[in-house]
Amino acid sequence: MFAAATKSFVKQVGDGGRLVPVPSLSEADKYQPLSLVVKKKRCFLFPRYKFTSTPFTLKDILLGDREISAGISSYQLLNYEDESDVSLYGRRGNHIVNDVGINVSGSDSVAVKASFGVVTKHEVEVSTLLKEITTRKINCDHSLVRQSRSSRKAVLCVVMESIRTTRQCSLSVHAGIRGESMRFHFMDEQNPRGRDKAIVFPAHTTIAFSVFELFIYLDGVFELCVTSVSKGGFEREETATFALFYRLRNILFERNRRVMDAISRSQLYLDDLVSDFYDKPLSMTDISLKEGTHIRVNLLNHNIPKGPCILCGMGNYKRETVYGCFQCSVDGQKYVRLHAVPCFDIWHKRMK
């Protein structure tokens, strides 16, 4: 009966689909802000999830003894009084009959009256909590974390808001028949024994709550899924391996792309130099044959090994040569390696 009343409350109040009815009166005190609950999908035939309470709070599974400083604000939400009749042939009516166990023989409906009075909403300061958890980690050896991780369908959630009553409340269910001129007839004087039932529960009872899912990484770092788009869960070892593989692959692809771009730019520069060299008359470019100019030499004759040309041998493609010039020096080196044609003449034309 309590579950039927809380479901009716959530259906009428709504909250964009985030509000969850408390399933049992005996567990109502376990759905307080910052408490942990386990969200688990029943099976593929039932799209709705099942929420199971736990005896732990978020602080219990965090490393360290520091308290969570995020505050909890509260305000009055509404005054809730509801009286409705439910057909026994519907799913909700079947749930009510199973919950309360009343005698429904000769009846086609049950009347449900819920008097919650003024209810209050208590919610965690999300911005403060998000700032604090950036420096905190979850203890992955905690029993609740280990057991939840072992189940592929379980997701750990944090209660972010709860809706509570402010006074002693009552729930009553009465079996009867629908009248022709009235919405529903209570036939108290004709009712056989056991056709009605009522319960009273104390003030400050939680009747609904909402949660944020947790996504927990292998190293204990975690995130609060503050939107319905993001999903909670656990990072699996195989998932982390694939993520590392794709990250390394992307790094290699990016590095190769940069190398190819650099090669392309250097090739274009070299092509421009060569084109510029061959486009000029020989008398203007072959300055190495003029009197008093620098002379090509074979560096091997001077015990200098083969090496990259200073013009076209830089970069990833090492274009090497045995020729050079002793009259030129670069970076303290008393010679410069240059291809005989055309790098030697291009170099000295630029230097001149």
Side-chain angles (χ1 to χ4, degrees), residues 108-311:
D108 62 357
S109 299
V110 290
V112 181
K113 182 177 181 181
S115 177
F116 291 159
V118 176
V119 296
T120 55
K121 186 174 184 179
H122 305 260
E123 56 186 3
V124 180
E125 297 175 356
V126 179
S127 58
T128 305
L129 181 62
L130 289 176
K131 291 179 181 178
E132 183 171 356
I133 64 175
T134 55
T135 59
R136 306 290 295 271
K137 287 187 175 183
I138 284 181
N139 180 12
C140 294
D141 293 327
H142 194 279
S143 59
L144 178 62
V145 179
R146 285 191 288 104
Q147 293 172 19
S148 300
R149 186 190 295 274
S150 63
S151 174
R152 293 277 179 172
K153 298 180 179 179
V155 177
L156 277 180
C157 306
V158 182
V159 176
M160 297 301 295
E161 62 180 15
S162 64
I163 297 178
R164 308 177 197 169
T165 61
T166 56
R167 61 171 176 80
Q168 182 174 282
C169 304
S170 63
L171 295 175
S172 59
V173 177
H174 191 97
I177 60 174
R178 293 178 183 271
E180 295 180 356
S181 59
M182 298 180 63
R183 180 167 179 265
F184 194 87
H185 286 292
F186 284 103
M187 299 186 300
D188 296 330
E189 68 281 356
Q190 303 177 17
N191 277 338
R193 185 176 180 182
R195 295 176 65 83
D196 53 28
K197 196 169 186 179
I199 62 172
V200 177
F201 54 91
H204 311 297
T205 299
T206 303
I207 57 177
F209 64 95
S210 67
V211 299
F212 281 168
E213 297 181 8
L214 294 177
F215 187 86
I216 304 175
Y217 295 91
L218 291 174
D219 58 357
V221 177
F222 69 101
E223 296 178 354
L224 272 181
C225 302
V226 297
T227 65
S228 58
V229 178
S230 55
K231 301 297 181 182
F234 295 89
E235 182 185 27
R236 307 293 175 181
E237 292 185 1
E238 58 271 20
T239 304
T241 302
F242 279 117
L244 178 60
F245 168 77
Y246 285 115
R247 193 179 300 118
L248 292 176
R249 188 195 67 170
N250 292 336
I251 291 174
L252 290 177
F253 283 170
E254 179 65 20
R255 182 177 297 176
N256 290 337
R257 186 189 64 80
R258 292 181 180 179
V259 169
M260 296 305 296
D261 289 345
I263 292 173
S264 178
R265 287 194 298 269
S266 62
Q267 187 64 41
L268 289 174
Y269 175 72
L270 183 60
D271 291 344
D272 290 341
L273 288 179
V274 173
S275 299
D276 185 54
F277 173 77
Y278 284 112
D279 288 343
K280 298 295 181 63
L282 180 63
S283 59
M284 296 179 60
T285 59
D286 196 9
I287 62 174
S288 62
L289 300 179
K290 295 180 181 179
E291 183 179 357
T293 59
H294 295 197
I295 302 174
R296 304 185 187 95
V297 294
N298 190 327
L299 299 177
L300 294 178
N301 296 332
H302 299 272
N303 297 324
I304 299 175
K306 183 179 181 180
C309 174
I310 195 171
L311 274 185

Side-chain angles (χ1 to χ4, degrees), residues 4-165:
T6 56
K7 288 178 183 178
S8 178
F9 172 82
V10 170
K11 185 177 180 180
Q12 295 184 45
V13 174
D15 192 19
R18 298 189 67 97
L19 208 58
V20 182
V22 174
S24 172
L25 182 58
S26 61
E27 296 183 352
D29 59 336
K30 296 181 180 179
Y31 296 97
Q32 306 302 322
L34 296 180
S35 297
L36 293 176
V37 298
V38 178
K39 178 182 178 182
K40 193 171 183 180
K41 193 171 184 179
R42 301 175 187 269
C43 68
F44 69 94
L45 296 176
F46 298 93
R48 294 186 178 181
Y49 291 88
K50 178 182 179 182
F51 291 87
T52 305
S53 63
T54 71
F56 303 105
T57 63
L58 179 60
K59 175 185 176 299
D60 295 330
I61 64 172
L62 293 179
L63 293 174
D65 298 327
R66 183 156 49 97
E67 295 288 341
I68 296 177
S69 59
I72 298 175
S73 59
S74 60
Y75 57 90
Q76 289 188 1
L77 185 62
L78 52 84
N79 190 337
Y80 184 79
E81 303 284 343
D82 179 60
E83 183 175 333
S84 59
D85 57 295
V86 182
S87 173
L88 292 178
Y89 304 108
R91 183 176 60 180
R92 186 181 167 204
N94 292 334
H95 286 319
I96 293 175
V97 173
N98 293 333
D99 287 341
V100 301
I102 61 176
N103 179 14
V104 295
S105 59
S107 304
D108 62 357
S109 299
V110 290
V112 181
K113 182 177 181 181
S115 177
F116 291 159
V118 176
V119 296
T120 55
K121 186 174 184 179
H122 305 260
E123 56 186 3
V124 180
E125 297 175 356
V126 179
S127 58
T128 305
L129 181 62
L130 289 176
K131 291 179 181 178
E132 183 171 356
I133 64 175
T134 55
T135 59
R136 306 290 295 271
K137 287 187 175 183
I138 284 181
N139 180 12
C140 294
D141 293 327
H142 194 279
S143 59
L144 178 62
V145 179
R146 285 191 288 104
Q147 293 172 19
S148 300
R149 186 190 295 274
S150 63
S151 174
R152 293 277 179 172
K153 298 180 179 179
V155 177
L156 277 180
C157 306
V158 182
V159 176
M160 297 301 295
E161 62 180 15
S162 64
I163 297 178
R164 308 177 197 169
T165 61

